[in-house]
């Protein structure tokens, strides 16, 4: 008869019966101390990076436009408080290709109260006192009525001309239009450039286009920022609704698990079906609309994402994606219908455990709070690091000059040799940068900020997993439930995790963070090398990204089960990960059949909450419903709050449903341990409930036998062999007698 080693040699030894084992061990020691110390040192350095960034950074550089002197337009508490707009002396100089390289127009820029509203040249303005007073509002300081036009232009105090302009992203751009197929500015197709020459209005297009490219990234960010300032309270209301829905759903799942699961499945199918119907109606309504048949490829990238919603192909793509998702879900429900019934029974059993540890439903709020602190610290540090550069001034000139684009100091530029050798040159603000040691290693500090963000976020998530695992393990290993459970299982588990296993949590989250930062670097390299690498390198990059994505998923799965074993036995990370892996391998059939089906059902619950809140947010922010037209804020991009609410709702739903997912995983591992430790006899009774044993025992498929089963089979085999030997002796005796 085969021995246990033949069953378990490849996947470790099964657990032996231990009469003293009563659940999560109370007498345990600190684990992975070296990693704990490393994590503490990293956190202290992270705080130091934050302090350094806050002392050097200035977020105003992102919020306000900057004039040629490096001053912020419209900043409160400064002389420019009432001048929020940036005005270009000669917008046509922005047509230079250097603009696309240096992101700065080689022309004087000043802060103004409002943009010019009419055509005017400096020569004509000096002939009329009233016009000149108006003209001076677009000049630098130091202009007097006694100065001549050549003198003003030589000193670069005023622009040679003014063109009708409109503010756009806090900058004044010519009010270009089209009349009879001809480009116009201020309803005129020509304008005086201030030197007596008449120019076509279309000459302004290149300058406006390049200036727009130079600020396009900032423009989109500013619009999104303004949308958040207008809609932040509505976003919070949407997230509160998602939280309430998640709580209601989880509580109902506790008492009505079977009904709620089927209701959830039906509602998911209905919500996705409505999405398909809505996309079809939008697709049909755009039929015959001018410009609606333009393809996404022809349209290209647009900063105004609302443009895409005016194209039929966009809604067709949405409809196809939703239809594919709908078909996949329906097919999975059909083929897994029997397993779904078993998974529902498992969720019911998990609901009993959650019922005995009700405070576990509120634990995700604690996790959200810690994650919010981590995200806020990372975002604030990133903003201050990105704005901690110093203003850099460079020489800009119209004629040939050997000092062109060299760094200069505007305070004493008029007395320098560069000004003497290039009389028409100016020292203007170019960009933010720096050449100090701090600025040289700024990219390294940003990288450290991102890495520590991943590490801290994964640590918080791991802490939640180990805490919940310890609480639910206390429930499982209580022989008489809930009498044998500790008074406060959740707080006891949290205390054990922080006191003894901070190093283990840091170790597991460090491994995961390293993989995640490698994925970030691969995405960064792929972005930088786009268009420069051939098909072979593109294929290699794609394979690397796919491999590390799979590796991240595997590490998350192993970490999750390792934390459960740590919560029960108090061993270090590597030992716990090995034990968990071997235990799962010894029960692979059960893992594949039940655990993943349960995860699928819980995922449908998250999808339902996200779908309900997302549909409500879409109708509210898009103004599709007349009842909300006067209530909803007016936004540049209404998809910004919708996307924020959808992502936030998924994270909230994931947090609450993770309680059930962690409960199911913990009960499953404890069940597998229970089968190996005990045999159901009076001396070695099972800790599992009768319901749980019926659920998982009937679906063991061809999993390996327990230690007790092997002993019974060995005894049975020996008895059978004895019987066969006795029968053989009787036959021989009969043959001899006949002979």
């Amino acid at each position: 008869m085969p021995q246990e080693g033949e069953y378990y040699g490849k996947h470790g030894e099964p657990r032996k019966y231990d009469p003293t084992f009563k659940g999560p061990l109370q007498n345990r020691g600190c684990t992975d101390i070296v990693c704990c110390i490393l994590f503490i040192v990293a956190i202290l350095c992270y705080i130091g990076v934050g302090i350094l960034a806050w002392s050097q950074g200035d977020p105003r550089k992102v919020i306000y436009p900057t004039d040629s002197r490096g001053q912020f337009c419209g900043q409160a508490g400064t002389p420019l408080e009432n001048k929020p707009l940036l005005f270009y002396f000669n917008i046509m100089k922005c047509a230079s290709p250097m603009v696309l390289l240096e992101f700065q127009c080689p022309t004087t820029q000043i802060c103004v109260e409002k943009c010019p509203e009419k055509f005017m040249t400096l020569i004509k303005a000096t002939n009329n006192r009233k016009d000149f007073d108006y003209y001076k509002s677009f000049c630098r300081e130091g202009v007097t009525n006694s100065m001549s036009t050549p003198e003003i232009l030589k000193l670069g105090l005023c622009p040679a001309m003014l063109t009708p302009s409109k503010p756009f992203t806090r900058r004044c751009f010519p009010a270009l239009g089209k009349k009879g197929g001809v480009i116009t500015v201020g309803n005129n197709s020509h304008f005086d450039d201030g030197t007596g020459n008449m120019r076509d209005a279309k000459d302004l297009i290149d300058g406006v286009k390049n200036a727009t490219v130079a600020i396009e990234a900032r423009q989109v960010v500013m619009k999104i920022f303004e949308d958040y300032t207008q809609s932040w309270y509505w976003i919070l209301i949407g997230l509160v609704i998602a939280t309430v829905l998640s709580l209601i759903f989880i509580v109902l799942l506790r008492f009505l698990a079977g009904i709620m699961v089927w209701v959830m499945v039906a509602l998911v199918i209905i919500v996705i079906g409505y999405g398909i119907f809505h996309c079809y109606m939008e697709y049909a309504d755009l039929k015959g609309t001018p410009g609606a048949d333009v393809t996404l490829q022809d349209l290209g990238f647009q900063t105004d994402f609302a443009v895409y919603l005016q194209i039929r192909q966009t809604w067709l793509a949405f409809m196809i994606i939703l239809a594919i998702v709908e078909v996949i879900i329906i097919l999975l429900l059909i083929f897994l219908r029997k397993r779904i019934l078993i998974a529902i029974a498992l969720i019911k059993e998990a609901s009993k455990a959650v019922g005995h540890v009700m405070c576990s439903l509120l634990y995700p709020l604690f996790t959200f709070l810690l994650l919010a602190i981590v995200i806020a610290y990372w975002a604030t540090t990133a903003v201050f690091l990105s704005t901690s550069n110093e203003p850099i001034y460079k020489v800009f000139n119209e004629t040939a000059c050997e000092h062109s684009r060299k760094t200069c100091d505007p305070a004493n530029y008029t007395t320098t040799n560069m000004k003497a050798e290039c009389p028409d040159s100016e020292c203007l603000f170019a960009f933010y940068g720096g050449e100090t040691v701090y600025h040289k290693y700024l990219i390294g500090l940003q990288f450290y900020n991102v890495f520590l963000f991943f590490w801290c976020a994964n640590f918080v998530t791991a802490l939640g997993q180990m805490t919940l695992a310890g609480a639910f393990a206390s429930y499982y290993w209580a022989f008489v439930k809930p009498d044998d459970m500790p008074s406060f299982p959740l707080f006891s588990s949290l205390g054990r995790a922080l006191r003894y296993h901070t190093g283990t949590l840091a170790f597991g989250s460090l491994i995961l963070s390293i993989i995640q930062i490698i994925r970030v670097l691969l995405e960064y390299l792929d972005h930088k090398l786009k268009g420069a690498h051939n098909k072979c390198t593109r294929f290699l990059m794609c394979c690397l990204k796919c491999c590390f994505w799979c590796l991240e998923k595997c590490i998350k799965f192993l970490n999750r089960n390792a934390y459960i074993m740590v919560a029960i036995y108090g061993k270090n990370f590597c030992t716990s990960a090995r034990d968990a892996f071997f235990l799962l391998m010894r029960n692979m059939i059960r893992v594949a059949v039940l655990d993943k089906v349960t995860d699928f059902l819980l995922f449908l619950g998250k999808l339902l909450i996200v779908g309900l809140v997302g549909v409500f947010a879409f109708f509210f922010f898009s103004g599709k419903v007349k009842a909300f037209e006067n209530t909803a804020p007016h936004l540049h991009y209404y998809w910004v709050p919708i996307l924020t609410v959808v992502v936030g709702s998924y994270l909230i739903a994931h947090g609450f449903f993770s309680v059930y997912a962690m409960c199911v995983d913990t009960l499953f591992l404890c069940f597998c341990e229970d089968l190996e430790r005990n045999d159901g006899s009076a001396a070695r009774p099972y800790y599992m409930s009768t319901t749980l044993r019926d659920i998982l025992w009937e679906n063991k498929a061809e999993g390996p036998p327990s230690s007790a089963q092997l002993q019974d089979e060995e005894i049975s085999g020996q008895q059978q062999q004895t019987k066969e030997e006795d029968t053989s002796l009787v036959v021989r005796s009969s043959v001899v007698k006949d002979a």
Side-chain angles (χ1 to χ4, degrees), residues 44 83 194 257 285 357 360 368 386 426 530 655:
L44 293 176
K83 297 182 177 182
D285 290 342
V357 194
S360 63
F368 291 151
S386 61
E426 292 182 275
K530 190 168 291 184

Side-chain angles (χ1 to χ4, degrees), residues 38-308:
L38 180 63
F39 183 65
I40 294 174
V41 172
I43 291 294
L44 293 176
C45 293
Y46 195 26
I47 295 174
V49 170
I51 295 174
L52 181 63
W54 298 337
S55 64
Q56 299 289 330
D58 190 353
R60 297 174 301 176
K61 298 172 184 177
V62 177
I63 300 174
Y64 302 104
T66 308
D67 67 4
S68 296
R69 297 181 179 179
Q71 298 173 317
F72 303 117
C73 299
Q75 181 189 350
T78 66
L80 300 177
E81 180 177 2
N82 297 323
K83 297 182 177 182
L85 304 175
L86 188 68
F87 172 71
Y88 298 89
F89 269 27
N90 188 354
I91 191 68
M92 288 186 291
K93 289 186 178 181
C94 295
S96 168
M98 294 302 296
V99 174
L100 301 178
L101 299 176
E102 300 183 353
F103 294 96
Q104 185 71 8
C105 290
T107 185
T108 303
Q109 302 164 38
I110 63 171
C111 301
V112 296
E113 186 175 350
K114 60 181 181 179
C115 298
E117 300 171 346
K118 52 187 177 180
F119 275 114
M120 191 176 295
T121 63
L122 180 59
I123 296 174
K124 292 181 179 179
T126 53
N127 297 328
N128 186 301
R129 179 67 178 270
K130 185 178 180 180
D131 289 343
F132 192 55
D133 290 338
Y134 172 79
Y135 204 97
K136 284 193 295 185
S137 60
F138 303 99
C139 297
R140 297 164 64 178
E141 297 86 351
V143 180
T144 61
N145 294 332
S146 60
M147 299 178 69
S148 63
T149 301
E151 184 181 3
I152 294 174
L153 293 176
K154 183 179 179 180
L155 295 175
L157 299 177
C158 291
M161 64 170 179
L162 299 179
T163 58
S165 304
K166 291 182 179 180
F168 180 67
T169 65
R170 297 191 180 186
R171 290 163 176 81
C172 295
F173 289 112
L176 296 174
K178 209 167 188 179
K179 189 175 181 181
V182 179
I183 301 297
T184 62
V185 56
N187 293 324
N188 296 315
S189 59
H190 297 81
F191 65 95
D192 189 338
D193 64 0
T195 60
N197 298 322
M198 298 301 293
R199 302 281 295 271
D200 289 335
K202 64 181 181 181
D203 293 342
L204 295 169
I205 293 180
D206 290 336
V208 173
K209 187 183 297 184
N210 277 357
T212 304
V213 170
I215 63 169
E216 187 171 354
R218 179 181 287 185
Q219 147 198 337
V220 174
V221 172
M222 286 302 303
K223 283 187 176 182
I224 293 175
F225 180 78
E226 290 175 3
D227 286 344
Y228 276 125
T229 59
Q230 294 291 327
S231 61
W232 65 270
Y233 46 91
W234 294 110
I235 293 175
L236 286 180
I237 291 174
L239 296 180
V240 169
I241 293 174
T243 304
V244 173
L245 280 177
S246 300
L247 274 174
I248 293 174
F249 199 92
I250 289 294
V251 172
L252 290 176
L253 200 62
R254 161 67 182 90
F255 299 102
L256 304 168
I259 297 174
M260 287 304 299
V261 168
W262 287 116
V263 169
M264 172 184 68
V265 170
L267 286 178
V268 167
I269 294 175
I270 292 172
V271 169
I272 297 178
Y274 173 77
I276 296 172
F277 170 75
H278 180 81
C279 291
Y280 173 76
M281 294 303 297
E282 293 286 348
Y283 176 78
D285 290 342
L286 289 173
K287 185 177 182 180
T289 304
D293 292 325
V294 177
T295 64
L296 294 174
Q297 185 176 1
D298 294 336
L299 183 64
F301 177 75
Q302 301 291 327
T303 56
D304 186 2
F305 292 96
V307 174
Y308 295 106

Side-chain angles (χ1 to χ4, degrees), residues 320-534:
I320 293 173
I321 292 171
L322 289 176
I324 292 173
V325 173
E326 183 90 326
V327 170
I328 290 174
I329 291 176
I330 292 175
L331 290 177
L332 286 174
L333 291 173
I334 292 173
F335 289 109
L336 298 176
R337 60 189 183 279
K338 293 183 179 179
R339 299 303 177 190
I340 288 174
L341 294 174
I342 300 169
I344 290 174
L346 188 59
I347 291 176
K348 287 181 180 179
E349 190 65 25
S351 297
K352 295 179 183 178
V354 173
H356 289 295
V357 194
M358 284 296 289
C359 56
S360 63
L361 295 177
L362 299 178
Y363 186 83
L365 298 177
F366 178 65
T367 301
F368 291 151
L369 176 62
L370 294 180
L371 285 176
I373 294 173
V374 171
I375 293 172
Y377 186 88
W378 163 77
T380 305
T381 304
V383 169
F384 275 87
L385 281 174
S386 61
T387 58
S388 59
N389 292 315
E390 300 173 347
I392 301 298
Y393 300 88
K394 289 194 173 184
V395 177
F396 291 93
N397 59 290
E398 296 183 3
T399 59
C401 177
E402 62 177 332
H403 302 293
S404 179
R405 303 302 187 272
K406 287 185 178 180
T407 305
C408 58
D409 183 3
N412 58 357
Y413 183 70
T414 55
T415 60
T416 61
N417 293 331
M418 290 188 289
K419 180 65 175 177
E421 296 175 8
C422 306
D424 62 339
S425 64
E426 292 182 275
C427 184
L428 304 178
F429 168 77
F431 54 85
Y432 288 104
E435 297 180 355
T436 64
V437 176
Y438 170 76
H439 294 101
K440 288 181 179 179
Y441 292 99
L442 197 57
I443 185 66
L445 295 177
Q446 285 282 24
F447 177 82
Y448 186 78
N449 182 36
V450 173
F451 179 72
L452 261 292
F453 165 71
F454 282 133
W455 197 357
C456 293
N458 290 326
F459 180 88
V460 171
T461 304
L463 176 63
Q465 291 175 347
M466 186 179 292
T467 300
L468 292 172
F472 293 128
S474 299
Y475 161 81
Y476 184 93
W477 294 109
F479 191 74
V480 180
K481 302 173 177 60
D483 296 340
D484 292 344
M485 293 175 61
S487 301
F488 301 100
L490 189 69
F491 294 105
S492 300
S493 180
L494 177 61
R496 289 195 301 268
L498 290 175
R499 181 179 179 182
Y500 298 110
H501 307 303
T502 300
T504 300
L505 294 170
F507 190 13
S509 55
L510 174 63
I511 296 172
L512 186 58
S513 300
I514 292 174
I515 295 173
Q516 289 173 336
I517 204 68
I518 291 175
R519 290 191 63 200
V520 171
L521 290 175
L522 287 175
E523 292 292 343
Y524 176 78
L525 289 175
D526 189 37
H527 176 73
K528 286 292 184 182
L529 297 175
K530 190 168 291 184
H533 51 198
N534 54 29

